[in-house]
mmCIF file of all heavy atoms in Angstrom:
data_model
loop_
_atom_site.group_PDB
_atom_site.id
_atom_site.type_symbol
_atom_site.label_atom_id
_atom_site.label_comp_id
_atom_site.label_asym_id
_atom_site.label_seq_id
_atom_site.Cartn_x
_atom_site.Cartn_y
_atom_site.Cartn_z
ATOM 1 N N MET P 284 -14.405 9.554 -3.057
ATOM 2 C CA MET P 284 -13.022 9.314 -2.669
ATOM 3 C C MET P 284 -12.555 8.023 -3.335
ATOM 4 O O MET P 284 -13.200 6.991 -3.230
ATOM 5 C CB MET P 284 -12.908 9.198 -1.151
ATOM 6 C CG MET P 284 -11.514 8.821 -0.703
ATOM 7 S SD MET P 284 -11.252 8.846 1.086
ATOM 8 C CE MET P 284 -12.171 7.446 1.622
ATOM 9 N N ARG P 285 -11.430 8.084 -4.011
ATOM 10 C CA ARG P 285 -10.834 6.895 -4.612
ATOM 11 C C ARG P 285 -9.965 6.201 -3.577
ATOM 12 O O ARG P 285 -9.270 6.846 -2.793
ATOM 13 C CB ARG P 285 -9.986 7.285 -5.812
ATOM 14 C CG ARG P 285 -10.838 7.854 -6.938
ATOM 15 C CD ARG P 285 -10.017 8.194 -8.129
ATOM 16 N NE ARG P 285 -9.480 6.947 -8.668
ATOM 17 C CZ ARG P 285 -8.625 6.880 -9.664
ATOM 18 N NH1 ARG P 285 -8.219 7.978 -10.246
ATOM 19 N NH2 ARG P 285 -8.172 5.733 -10.100
ATOM 20 N N ALA P 286 -10.008 4.875 -3.581
ATOM 21 C CA ALA P 286 -9.248 4.103 -2.591
ATOM 22 C C ALA P 286 -8.772 2.791 -3.197
ATOM 23 O O ALA P 286 -9.350 2.289 -4.156
ATOM 24 C CB ALA P 286 -10.113 3.824 -1.374
ATOM 25 N N ASP P 287 -7.704 2.270 -2.634
ATOM 26 C CA ASP P 287 -7.209 0.938 -2.979
ATOM 27 C C ASP P 287 -6.933 0.246 -1.655
ATOM 28 O O ASP P 287 -6.061 0.663 -0.902
ATOM 29 C CB ASP P 287 -5.950 1.026 -3.823
ATOM 30 C CG ASP P 287 -5.517 -0.323 -4.371
ATOM 31 O OD1 ASP P 287 -5.954 -1.357 -3.816
ATOM 32 O OD2 ASP P 287 -4.755 -0.347 -5.336
ATOM 33 N N TYR P 288 -7.679 -0.797 -1.371
ATOM 34 C CA TYR P 288 -7.606 -1.435 -0.069
ATOM 35 C C TYR P 288 -6.762 -2.704 -0.040
ATOM 36 O O TYR P 288 -6.804 -3.438 0.938
ATOM 37 C CB TYR P 288 -9.019 -1.744 0.448
ATOM 38 C CG TYR P 288 -9.810 -0.497 0.731
ATOM 39 C CD1 TYR P 288 -10.885 -0.138 -0.054
ATOM 40 C CD2 TYR P 288 -9.454 0.343 1.781
ATOM 41 C CE1 TYR P 288 -11.609 1.020 0.197
ATOM 42 C CE2 TYR P 288 -10.160 1.501 2.040
ATOM 43 C CZ TYR P 288 -11.238 1.826 1.247
ATOM 44 O OH TYR P 288 -11.937 2.979 1.505
ATOM 45 N N HIS P 289 -6.007 -2.950 -1.109
ATOM 46 C CA HIS P 289 -5.201 -4.173 -1.100
ATOM 47 C C HIS P 289 -3.987 -4.021 -2.012
ATOM 48 O O HIS P 289 -4.031 -4.362 -3.198
ATOM 49 C CB HIS P 289 -6.049 -5.371 -1.540
ATOM 50 C CG HIS P 289 -5.457 -6.674 -1.148
ATOM 51 N ND1 HIS P 289 -5.970 -7.436 -0.128
ATOM 52 C CD2 HIS P 289 -4.377 -7.335 -1.611
ATOM 53 C CE1 HIS P 289 -5.232 -8.528 0.000
ATOM 54 N NE2 HIS P 289 -4.267 -8.493 -0.889
ATOM 55 N N VAL P 290 -2.904 -3.487 -1.459
ATOM 56 C CA VAL P 290 -1.653 -3.319 -2.195
ATOM 57 C C VAL P 290 -0.559 -4.083 -1.456
ATOM 58 O O VAL P 290 -0.376 -3.888 -0.257
ATOM 59 C CB VAL P 290 -1.248 -1.827 -2.280
ATOM 60 C CG1 VAL P 290 0.049 -1.663 -3.042
ATOM 61 C CG2 VAL P 290 -2.360 -0.999 -2.898
ATOM 62 N N HIS P 291 0.147 -4.949 -2.147
ATOM 63 C CA HIS P 291 1.279 -5.652 -1.526
ATOM 64 C C HIS P 291 2.543 -4.821 -1.739
ATOM 65 O O HIS P 291 2.719 -4.206 -2.781
ATOM 66 C CB HIS P 291 1.481 -7.022 -2.166
ATOM 67 C CG HIS P 291 0.408 -7.999 -1.844
ATOM 68 N ND1 HIS P 291 0.585 -9.344 -1.915
ATOM 69 C CD2 HIS P 291 -0.871 -7.821 -1.431
ATOM 70 C CE1 HIS P 291 -0.526 -9.961 -1.579
ATOM 71 N NE2 HIS P 291 -1.423 -9.050 -1.283
ATOM 72 N N THR P 292 3.411 -4.803 -0.737
ATOM 73 C CA THR P 292 4.652 -4.034 -0.819
ATOM 74 C C THR P 292 5.859 -4.954 -0.686
ATOM 75 O O THR P 292 5.724 -6.166 -0.555
ATOM 76 C CB THR P 292 4.724 -2.975 0.293
ATOM 77 O OG1 THR P 292 4.902 -3.637 1.545
ATOM 78 C CG2 THR P 292 3.495 -2.095 0.333
ATOM 79 N N GLU P 293 7.012 -4.340 -0.692
ATOM 80 C CA GLU P 293 8.279 -5.065 -0.582
ATOM 81 C C GLU P 293 8.396 -5.878 0.713
ATOM 82 O O GLU P 293 9.243 -6.766 0.813
ATOM 83 C CB GLU P 293 9.443 -4.087 -0.671
ATOM 84 C CG GLU P 293 9.425 -3.061 0.478
ATOM 85 C CD GLU P 293 10.256 -1.839 0.186
ATOM 86 O OE1 GLU P 293 11.192 -1.899 -0.605
ATOM 87 O OE2 GLU P 293 9.942 -0.794 0.782
ATOM 88 N N PHE P 294 7.531 -5.603 1.680
ATOM 89 C CA PHE P 294 7.566 -6.350 2.929
ATOM 90 C C PHE P 294 6.772 -7.649 2.854
ATOM 91 O O PHE P 294 6.743 -8.418 3.798
ATOM 92 C CB PHE P 294 7.066 -5.484 4.088
ATOM 93 C CG PHE P 294 7.993 -4.347 4.388
ATOM 94 C CD1 PHE P 294 7.730 -3.072 3.924
ATOM 95 C CD2 PHE P 294 9.157 -4.558 5.109
ATOM 96 C CE1 PHE P 294 8.597 -2.023 4.183
ATOM 97 C CE2 PHE P 294 10.036 -3.521 5.379
ATOM 98 C CZ PHE P 294 9.752 -2.249 4.906
ATOM 99 N N SER P 295 6.126 -7.880 1.725
ATOM 100 C CA SER P 295 5.416 -9.125 1.472
ATOM 101 C C SER P 295 6.306 -9.980 0.562
ATOM 102 O O SER P 295 6.959 -9.454 -0.335
ATOM 103 C CB SER P 295 4.088 -8.820 0.781
ATOM 104 O OG SER P 295 3.291 -9.971 0.690
ATOM 105 N N ASP P 296 6.312 -11.280 0.777
ATOM 106 C CA ASP P 296 7.231 -12.110 0.000
ATOM 107 C C ASP P 296 6.821 -12.269 -1.466
ATOM 108 O O ASP P 296 7.562 -12.832 -2.256
ATOM 109 C CB ASP P 296 7.416 -13.480 0.651
ATOM 110 C CG ASP P 296 6.194 -14.354 0.594
ATOM 111 O OD1 ASP P 296 5.110 -13.848 0.274
ATOM 112 O OD2 ASP P 296 6.332 -15.567 0.872
ATOM 113 N N ASP P 297 5.677 -11.729 -1.859
ATOM 114 C CA ASP P 297 5.228 -11.864 -3.240
ATOM 115 C C ASP P 297 5.242 -10.548 -4.019
ATOM 116 O O ASP P 297 4.618 -10.422 -5.057
ATOM 117 C CB ASP P 297 3.828 -12.473 -3.275
ATOM 118 C CG ASP P 297 2.792 -11.610 -2.571
ATOM 119 O OD1 ASP P 297 3.184 -10.637 -1.907
ATOM 120 O OD2 ASP P 297 1.606 -11.922 -2.686
ATOM 121 N N SER P 298 5.983 -9.539 -3.514
ATOM 122 C CA SER P 298 5.999 -8.235 -4.176
ATOM 123 C C SER P 298 7.328 -7.530 -3.948
ATOM 124 O O SER P 298 8.021 -7.779 -2.969
ATOM 125 C CB SER P 298 4.866 -7.368 -3.620
ATOM 126 O OG SER P 298 4.898 -6.084 -4.196
ATOM 127 N N ASP P 299 7.663 -6.635 -4.869
ATOM 128 C CA ASP P 299 8.850 -5.789 -4.679
ATOM 129 C C ASP P 299 8.491 -4.299 -4.802
ATOM 130 O O ASP P 299 9.342 -3.456 -5.028
ATOM 131 C CB ASP P 299 9.957 -6.160 -5.658
ATOM 132 C CG ASP P 299 9.549 -6.001 -7.112
ATOM 133 O OD1 ASP P 299 8.391 -5.623 -7.375
ATOM 134 O OD2 ASP P 299 10.389 -6.262 -7.980
ATOM 135 N N TYR P 300 7.214 -3.982 -4.627
ATOM 136 C CA TYR P 300 6.689 -2.624 -4.721
ATOM 137 C C TYR P 300 7.065 -1.862 -3.455
ATOM 138 O O TYR P 300 6.586 -2.159 -2.359
ATOM 139 C CB TYR P 300 5.180 -2.714 -4.876
ATOM 140 C CG TYR P 300 4.443 -1.512 -5.422
ATOM 141 C CD1 TYR P 300 5.083 -0.416 -5.967
ATOM 142 C CD2 TYR P 300 3.059 -1.499 -5.407
ATOM 143 C CE1 TYR P 300 4.378 0.654 -6.469
ATOM 144 C CE2 TYR P 300 2.330 -0.440 -5.907
ATOM 145 C CZ TYR P 300 3.002 0.642 -6.439
ATOM 146 O OH TYR P 300 2.293 1.702 -6.931
ATOM 147 N N ALA P 301 7.916 -0.857 -3.575
ATOM 148 C CA ALA P 301 8.384 -0.089 -2.418
ATOM 149 C C ALA P 301 7.240 0.730 -1.811
ATOM 150 O O ALA P 301 6.415 1.302 -2.535
ATOM 151 C CB ALA P 301 9.505 0.847 -2.830
ATOM 152 N N MET P 302 7.182 0.790 -0.478
ATOM 153 C CA MET P 302 6.124 1.536 0.207
ATOM 154 C C MET P 302 6.114 3.005 -0.220
ATOM 155 O O MET P 302 5.054 3.592 -0.435
ATOM 156 C CB MET P 302 6.277 1.435 1.717
ATOM 157 C CG MET P 302 5.936 0.064 2.247
ATOM 158 S SD MET P 302 6.143 -0.053 4.024
ATOM 159 C CE MET P 302 4.670 0.787 4.557
ATOM 160 N N GLU P 303 7.272 3.595 -0.370
ATOM 161 C CA GLU P 303 7.360 4.992 -0.800
ATOM 162 C C GLU P 303 6.743 5.161 -2.189
ATOM 163 O O GLU P 303 6.033 6.134 -2.451
ATOM 164 C CB GLU P 303 8.815 5.451 -0.809
ATOM 165 C CG GLU P 303 8.978 6.898 -1.188
ATOM 166 C CD GLU P 303 10.415 7.372 -1.089
ATOM 167 O OE1 GLU P 303 11.239 6.698 -0.450
ATOM 168 O OE2 GLU P 303 10.711 8.424 -1.665
ATOM 169 N N LYS P 304 6.979 4.202 -3.069
ATOM 170 C CA LYS P 304 6.427 4.248 -4.420
ATOM 171 C C LYS P 304 4.899 4.080 -4.391
ATOM 172 O O LYS P 304 4.197 4.724 -5.171
ATOM 173 C CB LYS P 304 7.078 3.163 -5.283
ATOM 174 C CG LYS P 304 6.658 3.191 -6.718
ATOM 175 C CD LYS P 304 7.281 4.358 -7.455
ATOM 176 C CE LYS P 304 6.981 4.209 -8.947
ATOM 177 N NZ LYS P 304 6.677 5.475 -9.571
ATOM 178 N N VAL P 305 4.385 3.249 -3.504
ATOM 179 C CA VAL P 305 2.929 3.105 -3.348
ATOM 180 C C VAL P 305 2.322 4.460 -3.007
ATOM 181 O O VAL P 305 1.310 4.871 -3.600
ATOM 182 C CB VAL P 305 2.575 2.082 -2.241
ATOM 183 C CG1 VAL P 305 1.084 2.109 -1.940
ATOM 184 C CG2 VAL P 305 3.012 0.680 -2.630
ATOM 185 N N ILE P 306 2.933 5.171 -2.071
ATOM 186 C CA ILE P 306 2.423 6.480 -1.663
ATOM 187 C C ILE P 306 2.508 7.477 -2.816
ATOM 188 O O ILE P 306 1.552 8.190 -3.111
ATOM 189 C CB ILE P 306 3.171 6.987 -0.416
ATOM 190 C CG1 ILE P 306 2.873 6.058 0.768
ATOM 191 C CG2 ILE P 306 2.785 8.430 -0.098
ATOM 192 C CD1 ILE P 306 3.782 6.257 1.949
ATOM 193 N N GLN P 307 3.647 7.513 -3.503
ATOM 194 C CA GLN P 307 3.813 8.425 -4.643
ATOM 195 C C GLN P 307 2.794 8.127 -5.742
ATOM 196 O O GLN P 307 2.173 9.045 -6.292
ATOM 197 C CB GLN P 307 5.228 8.318 -5.205
ATOM 198 C CG GLN P 307 6.287 8.854 -4.293
ATOM 199 C CD GLN P 307 7.694 8.513 -4.766
ATOM 200 O OE1 GLN P 307 7.892 7.673 -5.642
ATOM 201 N NE2 GLN P 307 8.679 9.167 -4.168
ATOM 202 N N ASP P 308 2.625 6.845 -6.065
ATOM 203 C CA ASP P 308 1.669 6.458 -7.107
ATOM 204 C C ASP P 308 0.238 6.762 -6.689
ATOM 205 O O ASP P 308 -0.579 7.175 -7.517
ATOM 206 C CB ASP P 308 1.811 4.972 -7.448
ATOM 207 C CG ASP P 308 3.099 4.661 -8.188
ATOM 208 O OD1 ASP P 308 3.796 5.601 -8.634
ATOM 209 O OD2 ASP P 308 3.414 3.459 -8.316
ATOM 210 N N SER P 309 -0.080 6.584 -5.407
ATOM 211 C CA SER P 309 -1.422 6.881 -4.915
ATOM 212 C C SER P 309 -1.731 8.367 -5.066
ATOM 213 O O SER P 309 -2.817 8.739 -5.534
ATOM 214 C CB SER P 309 -1.557 6.474 -3.441
ATOM 215 O OG SER P 309 -1.429 5.079 -3.313
ATOM 216 N N ILE P 310 -0.792 9.197 -4.707
ATOM 217 C CA ILE P 310 -0.978 10.644 -4.842
ATOM 218 C C ILE P 310 -1.142 11.019 -6.310
ATOM 219 O O ILE P 310 -2.041 11.780 -6.676
ATOM 220 C CB ILE P 310 0.184 11.414 -4.188
ATOM 221 C CG1 ILE P 310 0.147 11.219 -2.663
ATOM 222 C CG2 ILE P 310 0.133 12.900 -4.555
ATOM 223 C CD1 ILE P 310 1.391 11.690 -1.947
ATOM 224 N N ALA P 311 -0.306 10.454 -7.175
ATOM 225 C CA ALA P 311 -0.372 10.767 -8.609
ATOM 226 C C ALA P 311 -1.695 10.327 -9.231
ATOM 227 O O ALA P 311 -2.179 10.956 -10.171
ATOM 228 C CB ALA P 311 0.787 10.088 -9.332
ATOM 229 N N ARG P 312 -2.302 9.278 -8.688
ATOM 230 C CA ARG P 312 -3.562 8.751 -9.227
ATOM 231 C C ARG P 312 -4.788 9.260 -8.467
ATOM 232 O O ARG P 312 -5.890 8.779 -8.674
ATOM 233 C CB ARG P 312 -3.534 7.230 -9.189
ATOM 234 C CG ARG P 312 -2.515 6.647 -10.134
ATOM 235 C CD ARG P 312 -2.540 5.123 -10.095
ATOM 236 N NE ARG P 312 -1.633 4.588 -11.072
ATOM 237 C CZ ARG P 312 -0.518 3.928 -10.775
ATOM 238 N NH1 ARG P 312 -0.172 3.736 -9.509
ATOM 239 N NH2 ARG P 312 0.259 3.462 -11.727
ATOM 240 N N ASN P 313 -4.589 10.218 -7.578
ATOM 241 C CA ASN P 313 -5.689 10.775 -6.774
ATOM 242 C C ASN P 313 -6.361 9.727 -5.898
ATOM 243 O O ASN P 313 -7.556 9.831 -5.624
ATOM 244 C CB ASN P 313 -6.732 11.461 -7.652
ATOM 245 C CG ASN P 313 -6.517 12.944 -7.722
ATOM 246 O OD1 ASN P 313 -5.716 13.491 -6.978
ATOM 247 N ND2 ASN P 313 -7.202 13.584 -8.624
ATOM 248 N N ILE P 314 -5.618 8.739 -5.456
ATOM 249 C CA ILE P 314 -6.137 7.745 -4.524
ATOM 250 C C ILE P 314 -5.937 8.320 -3.124
ATOM 251 O O ILE P 314 -4.815 8.589 -2.715
ATOM 252 C CB ILE P 314 -5.420 6.395 -4.687
ATOM 253 C CG1 ILE P 314 -5.739 5.823 -6.070
ATOM 254 C CG2 ILE P 314 -5.824 5.422 -3.582
ATOM 255 C CD1 ILE P 314 -4.974 4.570 -6.415
ATOM 256 N N MET P 315 -7.029 8.527 -2.426
ATOM 257 C CA MET P 315 -6.970 9.199 -1.134
ATOM 258 C C MET P 315 -6.732 8.245 0.034
ATOM 259 O O MET P 315 -6.392 8.667 1.131
ATOM 260 C CB MET P 315 -8.260 9.981 -0.887
ATOM 261 C CG MET P 315 -8.555 11.013 -1.972
ATOM 262 S SD MET P 315 -7.229 12.211 -2.191
ATOM 263 C CE MET P 315 -7.417 13.165 -0.719
ATOM 264 N N ASN P 316 -6.946 6.959 -0.188
ATOM 265 C CA ASN P 316 -6.757 5.979 0.878
ATOM 266 C C ASN P 316 -6.150 4.730 0.266
ATOM 267 O O ASN P 316 -6.719 4.147 -0.640
ATOM 268 C CB ASN P 316 -8.103 5.658 1.532
ATOM 269 C CG ASN P 316 -7.959 4.759 2.726
ATOM 270 O OD1 ASN P 316 -7.552 3.624 2.595
ATOM 271 N ND2 ASN P 316 -8.300 5.271 3.880
ATOM 272 N N ALA P 317 -4.987 4.319 0.751
ATOM 273 C CA ALA P 317 -4.326 3.107 0.266
ATOM 274 C C ALA P 317 -4.003 2.222 1.460
ATOM 275 O O ALA P 317 -3.408 2.677 2.431
ATOM 276 C CB ALA P 317 -3.049 3.446 -0.491
ATOM 277 N N THR P 318 -4.410 0.977 1.386
ATOM 278 C CA THR P 318 -4.098 0.014 2.434
ATOM 279 C C THR P 318 -3.090 -0.979 1.894
ATOM 280 O O THR P 318 -3.350 -1.649 0.893
ATOM 281 C CB THR P 318 -5.363 -0.718 2.918
ATOM 282 O OG1 THR P 318 -6.274 0.242 3.437
ATOM 283 C CG2 THR P 318 -5.030 -1.726 4.003
ATOM 284 N N MET P 319 -1.934 -1.030 2.547
ATOM 285 C CA MET P 319 -0.877 -1.950 2.138
ATOM 286 C C MET P 319 -0.969 -3.209 2.977
ATOM 287 O O MET P 319 -0.956 -3.140 4.203
ATOM 288 C CB MET P 319 0.481 -1.273 2.291
ATOM 289 C CG MET P 319 0.663 -0.124 1.321
ATOM 290 S SD MET P 319 2.058 0.912 1.723
ATOM 291 C CE MET P 319 1.195 2.309 2.427
ATOM 292 N N ARG P 320 -1.096 -4.329 2.314
ATOM 293 C CA ARG P 320 -1.220 -5.617 2.999
ATOM 294 C C ARG P 320 -0.007 -6.463 2.668
ATOM 295 O O ARG P 320 0.336 -6.633 1.513
ATOM 296 C CB ARG P 320 -2.493 -6.321 2.574
ATOM 297 C CG ARG P 320 -3.720 -5.492 2.890
ATOM 298 C CD ARG P 320 -4.965 -6.328 2.840
ATOM 299 N NE ARG P 320 -6.123 -5.516 3.143
ATOM 300 C CZ ARG P 320 -6.629 -5.355 4.344
ATOM 301 N NH1 ARG P 320 -6.069 -5.924 5.376
ATOM 302 N NH2 ARG P 320 -7.692 -4.604 4.535
ATOM 303 N N ASN P 321 0.622 -6.956 3.706
ATOM 304 C CA ASN P 321 1.838 -7.741 3.537
ATOM 305 C C ASN P 321 1.673 -9.090 4.217
ATOM 306 O O ASN P 321 1.154 -9.171 5.328
ATOM 307 C CB ASN P 321 3.023 -6.992 4.140
ATOM 308 C CG ASN P 321 3.194 -5.644 3.490
ATOM 309 O OD1 ASN P 321 3.492 -5.558 2.325
ATOM 310 N ND2 ASN P 321 2.965 -4.582 4.235
ATOM 311 N N TYR P 322 2.126 -10.124 3.550
ATOM 312 C CA TYR P 322 1.982 -11.480 4.074
ATOM 313 C C TYR P 322 3.337 -12.030 4.507
ATOM 314 O O TYR P 322 4.367 -11.668 3.957
ATOM 315 C CB TYR P 322 1.348 -12.385 3.020
ATOM 316 C CG TYR P 322 -0.030 -11.910 2.650
ATOM 317 C CD1 TYR P 322 -0.300 -11.391 1.396
ATOM 318 C CD2 TYR P 322 -1.055 -11.937 3.583
ATOM 319 C CE1 TYR P 322 -1.562 -10.942 1.077
ATOM 320 C CE2 TYR P 322 -2.325 -11.486 3.267
ATOM 321 C CZ TYR P 322 -2.574 -10.989 2.007
ATOM 322 O OH TYR P 322 -3.820 -10.532 1.698
ATOM 323 N N TYR P 323 3.302 -12.890 5.492
ATOM 324 C CA TYR P 323 4.501 -13.565 6.002
ATOM 325 C C TYR P 323 5.503 -12.586 6.586
ATOM 326 O O TYR P 323 6.702 -12.702 6.381
ATOM 327 C CB TYR P 323 5.144 -14.421 4.906
ATOM 328 C CG TYR P 323 4.146 -15.308 4.218
ATOM 329 C CD1 TYR P 323 3.790 -15.090 2.901
ATOM 330 C CD2 TYR P 323 3.517 -16.339 4.909
ATOM 331 C CE1 TYR P 323 2.849 -15.890 2.272
ATOM 332 C CE2 TYR P 323 2.577 -17.137 4.297
ATOM 333 C CZ TYR P 323 2.245 -16.914 2.982
ATOM 334 O OH TYR P 323 1.309 -17.695 2.372
ATOM 335 N N THR P 324 4.996 -11.577 7.293
ATOM 336 C CA THR P 324 5.848 -10.577 7.930
ATOM 337 C C THR P 324 5.142 -10.020 9.160
ATOM 338 O O THR P 324 3.934 -10.144 9.301
ATOM 339 C CB THR P 324 6.186 -9.439 6.939
ATOM 340 O OG1 THR P 324 7.006 -8.488 7.607
ATOM 341 C CG2 THR P 324 4.946 -8.733 6.452
ATOM 342 N N LEU P 325 5.888 -9.388 10.040
ATOM 343 C CA LEU P 325 5.288 -8.732 11.210
ATOM 344 C C LEU P 325 4.558 -7.449 10.817
ATOM 345 O O LEU P 325 3.658 -6.999 11.498
ATOM 346 C CB LEU P 325 6.366 -8.419 12.249
ATOM 347 C CG LEU P 325 7.032 -9.621 12.897
ATOM 348 C CD1 LEU P 325 8.165 -9.170 13.817
ATOM 349 C CD2 LEU P 325 6.025 -10.446 13.669
ATOM 350 N N LEU P 326 4.973 -6.849 9.697
ATOM 351 C CA LEU P 326 4.373 -5.611 9.214
ATOM 352 C C LEU P 326 3.205 -5.977 8.302
ATOM 353 O O LEU P 326 3.312 -5.982 7.097
ATOM 354 C CB LEU P 326 5.422 -4.801 8.456
ATOM 355 C CG LEU P 326 5.084 -3.376 8.051
ATOM 356 C CD1 LEU P 326 4.787 -2.533 9.296
ATOM 357 C CD2 LEU P 326 6.226 -2.780 7.271
ATOM 358 N N ARG P 327 2.048 -6.305 8.887
ATOM 359 C CA ARG P 327 0.937 -6.912 8.129
ATOM 360 C C ARG P 327 0.086 -5.903 7.356
ATOM 361 O O ARG P 327 -0.118 -6.062 6.184
ATOM 362 C CB ARG P 327 0.038 -7.695 9.073
ATOM 363 C CG ARG P 327 0.737 -8.774 9.815
ATOM 364 C CD ARG P 327 0.569 -10.132 9.315
ATOM 365 N NE ARG P 327 -0.713 -10.440 8.763
ATOM 366 C CZ ARG P 327 -0.904 -11.483 8.009
ATOM 367 N NH1 ARG P 327 0.077 -12.274 7.749
ATOM 368 N NH2 ARG P 327 -2.082 -11.749 7.516
ATOM 369 N N THR P 328 -0.427 -4.883 8.010
ATOM 370 C CA THR P 328 -1.352 -3.953 7.329
ATOM 371 C C THR P 328 -1.061 -2.528 7.770
ATOM 372 O O THR P 328 -0.967 -2.240 8.940
ATOM 373 C CB THR P 328 -2.817 -4.298 7.667
ATOM 374 O OG1 THR P 328 -3.082 -5.639 7.286
ATOM 375 C CG2 THR P 328 -3.778 -3.369 6.948
ATOM 376 N N ILE P 329 -0.957 -1.657 6.766
ATOM 377 C CA ILE P 329 -0.767 -0.223 7.010
ATOM 378 C C ILE P 329 -1.765 0.509 6.124
ATOM 379 O O ILE P 329 -1.881 0.210 4.931
ATOM 380 C CB ILE P 329 0.656 0.234 6.642
ATOM 381 C CG1 ILE P 329 1.658 -0.464 7.545
ATOM 382 C CG2 ILE P 329 0.779 1.740 6.735
ATOM 383 C CD1 ILE P 329 3.083 -0.195 7.157
ATOM 384 N N THR P 330 -2.485 1.473 6.682
ATOM 385 C CA THR P 330 -3.398 2.281 5.905
ATOM 386 C C THR P 330 -2.893 3.712 5.900
ATOM 387 O O THR P 330 -2.610 4.281 6.946
ATOM 388 C CB THR P 330 -4.827 2.234 6.480
ATOM 389 O OG1 THR P 330 -5.280 0.892 6.478
ATOM 390 C CG2 THR P 330 -5.779 3.095 5.663
ATOM 391 N N ILE P 331 -2.783 4.276 4.695
ATOM 392 C CA ILE P 331 -2.338 5.643 4.519
ATOM 393 C C ILE P 331 -3.505 6.452 3.961
ATOM 394 O O ILE P 331 -4.111 6.050 2.969
ATOM 395 C CB ILE P 331 -1.164 5.731 3.512
ATOM 396 C CG1 ILE P 331 -0.003 4.836 3.947
ATOM 397 C CG2 ILE P 331 -0.728 7.165 3.301
ATOM 398 C CD1 ILE P 331 0.659 5.249 5.221
ATOM 399 N N THR P 332 -3.834 7.564 4.591
ATOM 400 C CA THR P 332 -4.880 8.449 4.084
ATOM 401 C C THR P 332 -4.246 9.793 3.739
ATOM 402 O O THR P 332 -3.541 10.368 4.571
ATOM 403 C CB THR P 332 -5.998 8.642 5.128
ATOM 404 O OG1 THR P 332 -6.531 7.362 5.460
ATOM 405 C CG2 THR P 332 -7.100 9.530 4.575
ATOM 406 N N VAL P 333 -4.487 10.256 2.536
ATOM 407 C CA VAL P 333 -3.925 11.510 2.056
ATOM 408 C C VAL P 333 -5.018 12.569 2.134
ATOM 409 O O VAL P 333 -6.130 12.368 1.652
ATOM 410 C CB VAL P 333 -3.436 11.369 0.603
ATOM 411 C CG1 VAL P 333 -2.897 12.684 0.093
ATOM 412 C CG2 VAL P 333 -2.406 10.268 0.501
ATOM 413 N N PHE P 334 -4.711 13.705 2.741
ATOM 414 C CA PHE P 334 -5.670 14.800 2.846
ATOM 415 C C PHE P 334 -5.281 15.914 1.927
ATOM 416 O O PHE P 334 -4.186 16.208 1.679
ATOM 417 C CB PHE P 334 -5.746 15.323 4.284
ATOM 418 C CG PHE P 334 -6.309 14.316 5.233
ATOM 419 C CD1 PHE P 334 -5.476 13.545 6.004
ATOM 420 C CD2 PHE P 334 -7.674 14.149 5.325
ATOM 421 C CE1 PHE P 334 -5.994 12.627 6.901
ATOM 422 C CE2 PHE P 334 -8.204 13.224 6.208
ATOM 423 C CZ PHE P 334 -7.363 12.465 6.982
#
C-alpha cells in the first residue's frame, strides 16, 4: 500500500494545496492513505483512506 503521511493543505499557513486536490492527486498516484497535517489551525490532522 502506498501512503503519504505528511501533506500540508490550504488550512496550514505554509501551504495553498487544496484538500480536494490532495485527494484527487492521491487517487491519481495510487496513494491509498494520505494524512493531511496542518499547523496553526484547529484543523490539525486528517487521514483519508481510499478503498
